[in-house]
Amino acid sequence: LEGDVLLSFRSIFTGYRDQGGKSVTLASDAHIEEDIGRNFEDALRLMDEIGLEICYYKERKRMICNR
């Protein structure tokens, strides 16, 4: 993530946090195998910088990812 894309994501997720948001899920919308997980490390780093926790859902319950 870089440039305008990074700035946009930072602005959106900072606004979400400022409105009370605490956690996010990450997903990959890859259309080819090589792109699965692309930019995940950048996304994780950005969420850490902003102060949001990464989660997933299991049986309709939020589970916090411990990395």
Side-chain angles (χ1 to χ4, degrees), residues 13-32:
F13 286 107
T14 298
Y16 167 70
R17 183 210 55 214
D18 291 348
Q19 294 299 311
K22 295 182 177 161
S23 53
V24 296
T25 59
L26 298 179
S28 179
D29 187 26
H31 295 268
I32 57 174

Side-chain angles (χ1 to χ4, degrees), residues 8-17 24 46-47 50 52:
S8 293
F9 283 171
R10 183 180 306 281
S11 175
I12 290 166
F13 286 107
T14 298
Y16 167 70
R17 183 210 55 214
V24 296
L46 180 60
M47 296 305 109
I50 293 171
L52 294 171

Side-chain angles (χ1 to χ4, degrees), residues 29-66:
D29 187 26
H31 295 268
I32 57 174
E33 186 175 343
E34 297 84 45
D35 285 346
I36 295 173
R38 183 174 167 216
N39 294 323
F40 266 41
E41 291 301 318
D42 293 338
L44 290 171
R45 197 168 24 261
L46 180 60
M47 296 305 109
D48 285 343
E49 290 172 11
I50 293 171
L52 294 171
E53 56 193 11
I54 308 300
C55 70
Y56 64 96
Y57 288 83
K58 182 176 181 180
E59 298 178 6
R60 298 189 172 270
K61 293 183 182 176
R62 183 174 54 206
M63 312 296 284
I64 303 303
C65 294
N66 296 313

